[in-house]
Amino acid sequence: MMFVSLAIPASALSRTDKLISQSIEYLENGDYIVREVFEPLIQPRSSKTGSAVETYRNSNCTAIWAVKVTGTFTYTGSTSSATSSSASVSIYNPNASFVSKNASYSGNTARATGSVKYSGYTVPLTASVSCDKNGN
């Protein structure tokens, strides 16, 4: 049996958020990207806030940087739409430097794209979060 522990950056998760999903993409160089979606435990009716975080980690499991999108949505049971989005970039490694960030929303999806310079390359990540017609 093997136990793997992934530390979630404190800025990505508050005590009132719950983890909805998590996935990992392994890169050819041994590094990997952790994708996580969160939502607050308490939500108002007919509107919802959610966030998604993509964290770039090296092969030693050390977080290098992350991009986070927070989106606000309305839903009716028959339709849903994004009404706002915001982006943030967190840098955890002194060898990484901020390049850019951008937030957008369209339809029922909020997106954030962030870029950093790391190991001589400009590395972009895009985090997105969506809401369906039932508020999921």
Side-chain angles (χ1 to χ4, degrees):
M1 179 183 281
M2 185 171 81
F3 177 75
V4 177
S5 174
L6 297 174
I8 298 172
S11 62
L13 180 63
S14 75
R15 293 180 194 188
T16 59
D17 286 344
K18 67 177 175 177
L19 179 65
I20 302 299
S21 67
Q22 182 182 62
S23 63
I24 299 173
E25 176 188 351
Y26 293 94
L27 306 175
E28 291 180 15
N29 65 358
D31 295 350
Y32 60 99
I33 298 167
V34 179
R35 294 182 174 92
E36 298 164 306
V37 176
F38 302 95
E39 71 177 35
L41 292 172
I42 300 172
Q43 298 272 7
R45 285 183 174 241
S46 75
S47 69
K48 194 161 226 179
T49 299
S51 60
V53 180
E54 292 215 0
T55 305
Y56 187 101
R57 293 179 173 270
N58 66 18
S59 58
N60 295 323
C61 301
T62 303
I64 305 301
W65 73 285
V67 62
K68 177 181 178 181
V69 61
T70 300
T72 304
F73 306 89
T74 58
Y75 62 95
T76 63
S78 58
T79 63
S80 65
S81 60
T83 58
S84 71
S85 67
S86 63
S88 63
V89 171
S90 300
I91 297 177
Y92 307 110
N93 184 297
N95 296 321
S97 59
F98 175 80
V99 174
S100 67
K101 69 177 180 176
N102 183 57
S104 63
Y105 62 92
S106 177
N108 67 340
T109 303
R111 286 183 184 78
T113 301
S115 294
V116 300
K117 191 163 194 126
Y118 176 65
S119 294
Y121 299 96
T122 299
V123 182
L125 287 179
T126 299
S128 64
V129 62
S130 300
C131 181
D132 70 15
K133 66 182 181 175
N134 299 311
N136 300 309

